[in-house]
Amino acid sequence: MALKPEVAWAQREDSLLITIRVANVKDLTVDVQDAKLNFSAKGGAGSATDYAVELEFFKEVDGSATKKLVTDREVFLNLTKKEPGPYWPRLLKSTKKEHWLKVNFDMWKDEDDDETEGKSFDMPGMEGLGGMGGMGG
């Protein structure tokens, strides 16, 4: 039976920022549909542990616009909401508290915060690269 990885999330008016914490990811499968996300992978020491989680979203997202970044420790997903607007009260359709689901306060921005600050968000660790201009010394 697959383990559920830790999932952290934050949101913007038009997007969801999801971090799935699995180290040494191999055999990654991410399937984003209108109302759900299915994740499965092998990870951990020697990439020997099976991980899987299904998220049924509070509202719909545009699965075709999903951006993904895989690092040594995490999988980052940037999902576009189908209907931009007010922040969702929660990520999942279910109101049940899941022990593996957490708010990512490092990426969280309140609804009334200035949206222009940090507007160029693509993926963690990529900010400030500005198209790699000036590389090479």
Side-chain angles (χ1 to χ4, degrees), residues 59-127:
K59 289 187 177 179
E60 290 189 348
V61 298
D62 180 0
S64 66
T66 299
K67 296 178 189 174
K68 175 175 60 176
L69 174 68
V70 181
T71 69
D72 290 342
R73 297 181 188 177
E74 301 166 317
V75 176
F76 297 98
L77 301 170
N78 185 337
L79 309 174
T80 302
K81 294 178 180 178
K82 272 206 176 167
E83 297 175 20
Y87 276 28
W88 296 359
R90 60 187 178 275
L91 177 64
L92 303 180
K93 188 174 197 174
S94 169
T95 58
K96 180 183 175 203
K97 173 93 171 108
E98 300 289 357
H99 70 280
W100 45 265
L101 181 63
K102 307 197 181 321
V103 172
N104 187 339
F105 288 107
D106 292 335
M107 289 186 170
W108 192 268
K109 204 176 240 275
D110 285 329
E111 208 167 352
D112 57 356
D113 285 348
D114 182 12
E115 280 294 323
T116 58
E117 180 184 326
K119 188 70 172 171
S120 64
F121 173 82
D122 270 329
M123 291 288 169
M126 300 296 195
E127 51 280 302

Side-chain angles (χ1 to χ4, degrees), residues 48-63:
T49 306
D50 289 326
Y51 290 92
V53 68
E54 178 180 284
L55 306 176
E56 190 171 348
F57 296 123
F58 180 74
K59 289 187 177 179
E60 290 189 348
V61 298
D62 180 0

Side-chain angles (χ1 to χ4, degrees), residues 1-5 22 38-41 49-54 100:
M1 183 170 141
L3 298 176
K4 288 199 180 201
V22 175
N38 286 301
F39 168 91
S40 66
T49 306
D50 289 326
Y51 290 92
V53 68
E54 178 180 284
W100 45 265

